Amino acid sequence: MSWQALFADSPDVLKRSPDDRIVVRAGNVAIGSGEFMVMAGPCSVETERQLLETAERVARAGAQVLRGGAFKPRTSPYSFQGLGLEGLRLLARARAATGLAVVTEVMAAADAPMVAEYADILQIGSRSMENYALLEAAAHTGRPLLLKRGMVATVADLLASAQCIFSHGNSQIILCERGIRTFETATRNTFDAAAIAVLESACRLPVIADPSHAAGLRELVPPLARTALAAGADGLLIEVHPHPDQAWSDGGQSLSLPDFDALMADLAPWRKLRAQQSQHACALEPVA
Ligand code: PEP
Ligand code: MN
């Protein structure tokens, strides 16, 4: 398959050779460097206690980045909309306490400089993937961006949005597969593992997976996480809450703290296997 032809609108984000990769750096973390990494935390920042408890625990379990929404895109205007600036301040406090880098969503172009003051990585949510004014403003902050695939976006659409960010002078882009809308209703979204494999093959940017929003159900998160790892993802974005049943958003898909510990333990042998395979692939390269 000629990716160059299929993704002709996005030339700068396509690989020019098999090992042409952009590594995204945030805090002490390198994403896409070959080491599988994990971002974890609550859907929404709720309270200082909730956030710090989660941050300390996910850090101990091996996550490198803390997630948490301060500006929340909610389907209903009557649902919790996020703590806004107070949420950003709590995230910065959690970073200071744990050393984790912070990723949080920016919803409005005008908010981009403020969110960039507090966060190490700016998340562009699924609903905003084609908000080009937001992509431009977020790109101009100079922060790495986590670009989530729109729920009705093709891989080509996702790459076109990445190209848009690139065209505004920011190449520090992490792509995220988070499930798409299909006729299936057993899961919240349909997890497109093939998209991960396509992106890993075609694109220079790191690719992570968000099994939480794809599944919509916490018991499906571990199998989808393993699937993402096997498909070649560079990392995961996982929703975790100290008391998922009391969460202010997305409790049904959030892992408890012990669930998250168990997921990380479950993934350990798979991560090791992946690392061995990529070493093997590197060793073979000069011969080929
Ligand atoms: C989120 O990460 O909390 C979120 C709202 O995700 P998405 O944009 O993928 O729905
Ligand atoms: Mn969520």
Side-chain angles (χ1 to χ4, degrees):
M1 168 61 77
S2 162
W3 302 126
Q4 258 69 18
L6 192 62
F7 304 129
D9 288 338
S10 312
D12 294 325
V13 300
L14 300 184
K15 280 185 177 164
R16 287 143 199 183
S17 62
D19 53 5
D20 178 17
R21 293 182 155 270
I22 290 176
V23 175
V24 173
R25 294 178 197 280
N28 300 326
V29 195
I31 304 151
S33 63
E35 199 167 320
F36 190 79
M37 55 82 55
V38 178
M39 308 184 180
C43 178
S44 298
V45 177
E46 299 168 5
T47 65
E48 180 163 16
R49 187 167 167 191
Q50 168 243 18
L51 189 66
L52 284 176
E53 190 180 349
T54 309
E56 278 159 14
R57 191 69 176 261
V58 299
R60 214 181 318 145
Q64 290 99 331
V65 179
L66 175 67
R67 65 146 288 147
F71 294 93
K72 294 301 303 174
R74 303 306 301 279
T75 305
S76 166
Y78 308 110
S79 302
F80 175 59
Q81 303 290 307
L83 296 181
L85 179 58
E86 180 53 22
L88 297 179
R89 291 194 176 119
L90 292 176
L91 285 163
R93 222 170 288 168
R95 173 180 45 213
T98 59
L100 292 170
V102 162
V103 59
T104 194
E105 179 159 354
V106 57
M107 284 173 59
D111 291 343
M114 175 180 66
V115 178
E117 250 180 67
Y118 292 89
D120 301 287
I121 305 170
L122 270 52
Q123 175 171 319
I124 307 290
S126 217
R127 293 156 189 81
S128 300
M129 190 204 84
E130 289 173 316
N131 180 342
Y132 300 109
L134 175 62
L135 298 182
E136 181 175 354
H140 285 154
T141 65
R143 290 283 189 206
L145 304 185
L146 170 57
L147 179 64
K148 297 188 90 173
R149 181 180 181 184
M151 58 187 87
V152 292
T154 63
V155 171
D157 296 333
L158 173 63
L159 289 176
S161 288
Q163 176 72 30
C164 171
I165 295 166
F166 207 98
S167 76
H168 290 293
N170 191 334
S171 61
Q172 292 281 288
I173 309 162
I174 307 153
L175 302 175
C176 180
E177 162 59 35
R178 48 77 76 205
I180 51 174
R181 280 270 166 89
T182 67
F183 51 80
E184 182 56 69
T185 54
T187 48
R188 184 175 177 183
N189 294 284
T190 296
F191 184 59
D192 186 3
I196 297 170
V198 169
L199 290 167
E200 287 290 345
S201 166
C203 182
R204 309 161 71 196
L205 302 170
V207 182
I208 67 167
D210 170 357
S212 306
H213 289 87
L217 286 171
R218 76 176 66 97
E219 54 267 45
L220 297 182
V221 170
L224 296 191
R226 284 197 296 270
T227 303
L229 206 164
D234 297 293
L236 294 170
L237 179 70
I238 306 278
E239 286 189 336
V240 183
H241 194 285
H243 308 286
D245 295 333
Q246 292 161 32
W248 298 0
S249 60
D250 286 349
Q253 67 197 32
S254 299
L255 300 185
S256 66
L257 303 177
D259 284 347
F260 183 72
D261 289 341
L263 172 68
M264 294 298 275
D266 175 60
L267 289 177
W270 301 79
R271 291 170 77 166
K272 212 160 150 190
L273 196 63
R274 245 284 287 279
Q276 282 166 2
Q277 278 169 346
S278 58
Q279 266 173 12
H280 186 58
C282 292
L284 286 179
E285 234 156 23
V287 184

